Each structure stands twice: as structure tokens, then as C-alpha cells.
């Protein structure tokens, strides 16, 4: 039985898809949470105003994992490795910090643990990537 090595670009892109789907589904679930939905409608969630600036910042932040799906596939080794490391650090830190904003629900904690584990793994996986393995 021959074991084939997986292309790191494909694995990293797939991991970013996994993490992004978890972010999105957790956000969808929050719209089913009656207490949070009332806060969304009022424009303030856990004491944070949902201003245009806040929403723009959130959109920029979520564009990171979305863009990483594509960038992981098309960038060459050196840029790919570093952008994955940096993006994973940013997303891990931000997601960890959100656990301390307000009172997180059990489903939010569950999703966050998966998201943090996913981005921490991306960080580790990209950090272990060596140029001799790179397929450009």
C-alpha cells in the first residue's frame, strides 16, 4: 500500500473552508437565539453598538478566512506559508478574545473551541511546511 503525501496548499485551503463554515453557522445559529435576535434588532449586542463602522470591521475580519481559501491555493510557497501563519494567528487571537465579550452561550463556546482549534492547527501546519515539500 502506497501512502501519498497530501498537497499542503489543498489541505490549508480545505482547513480554511472548514473554519469559515463554522464561523458562518455559528452566526446563523445566533439569529435563532431569541435573546440575541432582540439585541440585533435593537442595534446593540452585549453592550456593543452595531454601527456601520463595527459592521465594516466585522466584514474585513471575516474576509480573512474567506480570502485564505483562495490564497492558500494560488500563492507560492514562501508567501503562502507566511500569510497562513499570520492569518491563523489573527483569527485565533480574535476568536479567543470574543469568548470574553459578554456572556457567551454554550453553542457559541462550542463553535469557538472548534474554530480556535482549527486556526491553531492551520498555524501549526503552515509553520511545519518546508520548501522542499512545496509544489508551486
Amino acid at each position: 500500500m502506497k501512502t501519498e503525501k497530501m498537497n499542503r496548499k489543498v489541505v490549508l485551503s480545505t482547513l480554511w473552508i472548514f473554519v469559515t463554515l463554522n464561523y458562518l453557522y455559528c452566526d446563523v445559529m445566533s439569529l435563532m437565539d431569541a435573546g440575541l435576535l432582540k439585541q440585533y434588532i435593537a442595534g446593540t449586542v452585549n453592550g456593543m453598538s452595531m454601527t456601520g463602522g463595527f459592521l465594516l470591521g466585522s466584514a474585513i475580519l471575516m474576509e480573512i478566512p474567506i480570502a485564505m481559501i483562495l490564497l492558500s491555493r494560488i500563492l507560492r510557497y514562501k508567501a503562502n506559508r507566511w500569510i497562513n501563519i499570520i492569518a491563523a494567528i489573527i483569527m485565533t487571537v480574535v476568536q479567543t478574545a470574543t469568548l470574553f465579550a459578554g456572556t457567551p452561550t454554550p453553542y457559541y463556546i462550542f463553535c469557538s473551541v472548534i474554530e480556535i482549534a482549527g486556526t491553531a492547527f492551520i498555524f501549526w501546519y503552515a509553520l511545519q511546511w518546508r520548501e522542499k515539500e512545496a509544489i508551486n
Side-chain angles (χ1 to χ4, degrees):
M1 185 168 131
K2 183 179 176 184
T3 304
E4 291 185 35
K5 215 168 198 177
M6 294 176 67
N7 181 334
R8 280 201 193 247
K9 287 182 171 187
V10 173
V11 173
L12 286 166
S13 179
T14 304
L15 288 165
W16 283 110
I17 292 169
F18 171 78
V19 170
T20 301
L21 288 172
N22 275 278
Y23 289 135
L24 293 173
Y25 190 68
C26 188
D27 290 345
V28 167
M29 281 191 300
S30 73
L31 295 173
M32 294 180 241
D33 183 324
L36 283 175
L37 186 55
K38 288 176 188 173
Q39 291 181 59
Y40 288 132
I41 292 169
T44 302
V45 178
N46 292 327
M48 292 184 297
S49 294
M50 300 291 111
T51 64
F54 177 86
L55 295 173
L56 175 60
S58 296
I60 292 168
L61 183 66
M62 284 312 302
E63 192 59 38
I64 294 171
I66 293 168
M68 290 309 300
I69 295 166
L70 175 63
L71 293 176
S72 294
R73 294 249 182 176
I74 64 172
L75 291 177
R76 292 190 170 270
Y77 163 74
K78 192 172 187 177
N80 201 332
R81 180 175 182 260
W82 281 107
I83 196 83
N84 269 282
I85 289 168
I86 293 166
I89 290 170
I90 291 168
M91 297 309 295
T92 302
V93 168
V94 168
Q95 193 59 41
T96 302
T98 67
L99 290 171
F100 300 98
T103 305
T105 60
Y107 69 84
Y108 188 83
I109 294 168
F110 174 78
C111 291
S112 291
V113 168
I114 292 170
E115 295 157 5
I116 292 164
T119 54
F121 183 77
I122 291 169
F123 167 78
W124 175 84
Y125 194 72
L127 197 62
Q128 301 306 311
W129 194 6
R130 298 295 173 247
E131 191 166 13
K132 66 182 177 182
E133 302 172 40
I135 301 171
N136 286 319

